[in-house]
């Protein structure tokens, strides 16, 4: 009699372990499937950003080599991004089909352009690059030291010499006039 109750409770406990083991196995399979889907979505995002990156090659080929404002590249993080420079990048929207061109500012993130079409984003990036290059030119002009030409200094020297001679001649003439008057 004592064996019957133990056999029954042991059977229930073994059934629970089997069900839990099966449930854990199924949960791991589901998690792996979801991870696979997430990886596939991330790969699709990166592929779309690479297509955009290739479309930007002609634009960046036109930028002079001495302009080092732009550092284009794709970052592989939780959210893949195509960086244009240190503050502007393109990321995919929530639906993973829309490109969102944004700029980080001290007041927050600004969406510059948003489109499903690569050409619209390329145009927005082209405008952004042009504006940044103009800002760079203005900054370089403002930071440049003033240009001082040497010709005004030489001209000033000769004016001084001419004035000195005119003054000496005037004093000589005054002295001559005074001496002739006293005769």
């Amino acid at each position: 009699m004592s064996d019957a109750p133990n056999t029954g409770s042991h059977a229930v406990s073994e059934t629970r372990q089997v069900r839990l083991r099966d449930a854990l196995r199924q949960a791991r399979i589901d998690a792996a499937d979801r991870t696979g889907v997430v990886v596939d979505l991330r790969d699709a995002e990166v592929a779309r950003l690479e297509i955009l990156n290739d479309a930007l090659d002609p634009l960046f080929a036109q930028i002079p080599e001495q302009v080092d404002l732009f550092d284009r590249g794709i970052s592989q993080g939780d959210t893949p991004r195509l960086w244009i420079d240190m503050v502007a990048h393109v990321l995919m929207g929530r639906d993973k089909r829309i490109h969102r061109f944004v700029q980080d500012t001290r007041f927050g993130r600004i969406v510059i352009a948003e489109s499903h079409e690569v050409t619209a984003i390329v145009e927005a990036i082209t405008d952004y690059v042009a504006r940044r290059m103009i800002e760079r030119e203005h900054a370089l002009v403002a930071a440049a030291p003033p240009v001082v030409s040497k010709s005004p200094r030489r001209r000033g020297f000769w004016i001084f010499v001419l004035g000195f001679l005119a003054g000496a001649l005037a004093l000589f003439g005054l002295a001559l006039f005074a001496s002739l008057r006293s005769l």
Side-chain angles (χ1 to χ4, degrees), residues 44-177:
E45 281 183 77
V46 171
R48 289 179 186 199
L49 291 174
E50 286 174 351
I51 290 169
L52 177 62
N53 193 22
D54 291 340
L56 290 171
D57 283 340
L59 168 67
F60 282 91
Q62 295 176 20
I63 297 174
E65 290 183 21
Q66 67 268 20
V67 175
D68 58 350
L69 288 173
F70 308 103
D71 191 22
R72 186 173 51 135
I74 296 176
S75 65
Q76 303 272 346
D78 289 338
T79 304
R81 294 182 170 119
L82 170 61
W83 290 91
I84 305 303
D85 61 7
M86 293 178 60
V87 295
H89 60 273
V90 178
L91 58 114
M92 300 307 293
R94 290 181 188 236
D95 66 350
K96 309 301 182 202
R97 288 179 285 158
I98 191 166
H99 296 87
R100 183 174 289 147
F101 180 41
V102 298
Q103 181 181 14
D104 294 327
T105 66
R106 60 184 166 171
F107 302 114
R109 186 172 284 171
I110 299 171
V111 177
I112 297 173
E114 196 171 40
S115 177
H116 290 281
E117 297 179 21
V118 172
T119 54
I121 298 299
V122 169
E123 288 178 17
I125 292 172
T126 303
D127 291 342
Y128 174 79
V129 167
R131 281 190 318 236
R132 289 287 300 202
M133 289 178 69
I134 296 298
E135 288 173 6
R136 177 183 180 271
E137 288 176 9
H138 287 285
L140 289 175
V141 168
V147 178
V148 178
S149 66
K150 294 182 180 181
S151 60
R153 260 192 139 185
R154 286 186 179 171
R155 191 178 73 207
F157 174 73
W158 289 113
I159 289 176
F160 173 74
V161 170
L162 184 62
F164 181 76
L165 290 175
L169 189 61
L171 283 176
F172 180 73
L174 185 62
L176 184 64
F177 178 71

